[in-house]
């Protein structure tokens, strides 16, 4: 394969840039060149021919979008080649990013938004918002197996989002957002002893990790947002507060301890430590 053949194969046929840069003379590329020429002449006649525009606003918009969706998704939504995005951001090999960008390319990229509802199911989005939502559910005791049931998303995928994933599919992000809106103000099942133990384990993990409830976020999808969770609550404080609430409902000491998934002796010690720290 010659260098020209390779350049042609790497470009999209039916595009003016392929006609010019790769010197491709297939029918779709010749038609694209003719259409480009007609549009150029028309705009020149009206004194509106501006083939290039400032690249800086486009570059800033791309950097903003990257906080929410991948560059592959941006290129797909804008219907431009991924390489065009890379050139605007990083420049050609050995060259700085260009100060100008083709007006049509810039307009297409500037029209892309990070609206989750407008993305295709398999497009990748930043996982931060989804992770925070799962963490918020865990502050109420919702485990990933319980969250997985109504979402249809396998538990292992939710665990991965919770721990390590940097991106998720748009479909998964929408599902997690929906189930969070439905469950965030509800308590998980606590009928059996095993259920109560699970709730206690999940809540204690959330406390230990410093995870925030949904109400603590002004914009849960903003990467720079900081939750307002007030003073840090320790496990002892959480147990003591839950125990006080359950006691007011008429449960005795042993019933309260069973409901919280701890032994009566452990609950007594936790309450004692909280009283001691309070002075």
């Amino acid at each position: 394969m010659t260098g020209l053949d390779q350049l042609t194969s790497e470009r999209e046929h039916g595009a003016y840039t392929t006609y010019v840069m790769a010197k491709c003379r297939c029918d779709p590329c010749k038609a694209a060149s003719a259409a480009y020429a007609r549009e150029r002449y028309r705009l020149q006649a009206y004194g509106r021919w501006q083939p290039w525009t400032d690249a800086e606003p486009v570059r800033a918009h791309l950097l903003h979008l990257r906080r929410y969706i991948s560059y592959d998704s941006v290129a797909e939504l804008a219907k431009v080649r991924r390489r065009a995005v890379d050139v605007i951001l990083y420049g050609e090999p050995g060259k700085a990013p260009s100060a100008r960008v083709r007006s049509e390319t810039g307009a297409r990229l500037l029209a892309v938004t990070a609206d989750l509802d407008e993305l295709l199911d398999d497009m990748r989005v930043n996982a931060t918002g989804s992770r925070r939502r799962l963490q918020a559910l865990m502050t109420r005791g919702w485990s990933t197996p319980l969250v997985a049931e109504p979402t249809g998303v396998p538990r292992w995928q939710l665990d991965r989002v919770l721990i390590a994933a940097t991106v998720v599919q748009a479909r998964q992000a929408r599902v997690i957002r929906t189930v969070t809106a439905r469950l965030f103000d509800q308590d998980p099942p606590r009928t059996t002893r095993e259920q109560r133990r699970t709730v206690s384990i999940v809540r204690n993990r959330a406390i230990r990790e410093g995870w925030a409830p949904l109400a603590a976020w002004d914009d849960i999808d903003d990467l720079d947002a900081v939750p307002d969770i007030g003073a840090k609550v320790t496990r002892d404080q959480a147990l003591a507060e839950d125990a006080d609430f359950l006691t007011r409902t008429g449960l005795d000491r042993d019933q309260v301890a069973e409901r919280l998934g701890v032994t009566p002796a452990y609950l007594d010690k936790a309450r004692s430590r909280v009283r001691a720290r309070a002075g």
Side-chain angles (χ1 to χ4, degrees):
M1 177 182 294
T2 67
L4 180 58
D5 291 335
Q6 182 176 3
L7 181 59
T8 302
S9 67
E10 291 175 350
R11 292 182 176 271
E12 177 184 359
H13 289 280
Y16 174 71
T17 53
T18 307
Y19 181 90
V20 173
M21 301 298 294
K23 303 185 185 307
C24 177
R25 296 300 182 260
C26 70
D27 288 341
C29 287
K30 287 192 292 185
S33 176
Y36 178 85
R38 287 194 299 271
E39 180 68 5
R40 185 184 70 217
Y41 295 146
R42 184 181 71 83
L43 292 174
Q44 284 175 337
Y46 286 98
R48 291 159 46 192
W49 174 240
Q50 294 180 330
W52 299 94
T53 188
D54 184 7
E56 189 54 38
V58 182
R59 195 155 35 242
H61 185 61
L62 288 172
L63 293 173
H64 167 74
L65 291 175
R66 186 62 181 88
R67 295 158 59 89
Y68 302 96
I69 59 180
S70 69
Y71 287 142
D72 286 338
S73 297
V74 172
E76 185 174 354
L77 288 169
K79 293 182 172 54
V80 303
R81 294 178 64 84
R82 168 58 195 270
R83 183 172 177 276
V85 174
D86 290 337
V87 169
I88 293 170
L89 289 168
Y90 312 117
E92 299 279 6
K95 297 181 180 179
S98 175
R100 300 189 305 164
V101 61
R102 287 203 168 272
S103 298
E104 181 182 0
T105 301
R108 289 186 177 187
L109 291 169
L110 288 172
V112 176
T113 70
D115 188 341
L116 183 61
D117 293 315
E118 295 182 2
L119 303 182
L120 300 178
D121 282 352
D122 61 351
M123 286 184 171
R124 293 178 297 170
V125 303
N126 193 292
T128 300
S130 296
R131 178 180 304 106
R132 289 171 176 171
R133 287 179 172 89
L134 292 176
Q135 292 172 351
L137 290 179
M138 294 186 73
T139 66
R140 290 195 71 97
W142 287 98
S143 62
T144 48
L146 286 178
V147 175
E149 290 178 10
T151 64
V153 179
R155 173 192 174 179
W156 69 267
Q157 290 186 9
L158 294 182
D159 285 333
R160 184 171 177 272
V161 172
L162 188 66
I163 297 171
T166 57
V167 295
V168 296
Q169 290 185 331
R171 178 189 67 82
Q172 295 175 338
R174 284 192 287 263
V175 169
I176 292 172
R177 182 185 62 183
T178 298
V179 76
T180 301
R182 187 162 72 242
L183 298 179
F184 82 97
D185 60 349
Q186 300 180 32
D187 288 324
R190 302 177 69 159
T191 303
T192 67
R193 181 174 184 177
E194 183 60 29
Q195 287 174 336
R196 293 191 291 272
R197 180 175 178 275
T198 298
V199 169
S200 180
I201 291 173
V202 172
R203 290 188 74 241
N204 287 334
R205 178 187 180 188
I207 292 170
R208 185 172 64 251
E209 299 288 350
W211 293 340
L214 198 65
W217 295 100
D218 287 331
D219 184 353
I220 200 167
D221 293 304
D222 183 351
L223 302 192
D224 296 327
V226 177
D228 181 7
I229 58 177
K232 186 175 181 180
V233 178
T234 66
R235 184 187 186 204
D236 287 346
Q237 290 172 315
L239 282 173
E241 290 174 5
D242 286 349
D244 290 343
F245 171 78
L246 293 174
T247 299
R248 290 194 295 272
T249 67
L251 299 181
D252 62 29
R253 167 177 169 269
D254 290 347
Q255 290 171 325
V256 168
E258 182 181 3
R259 179 72 64 89
L260 295 177
V262 297
T263 65
Y266 187 93
L267 180 59
D268 290 341
K269 291 179 181 178
R271 283 174 143 174
S272 177
R273 286 192 292 264
V274 169
R275 287 193 296 268
R277 282 194 293 269

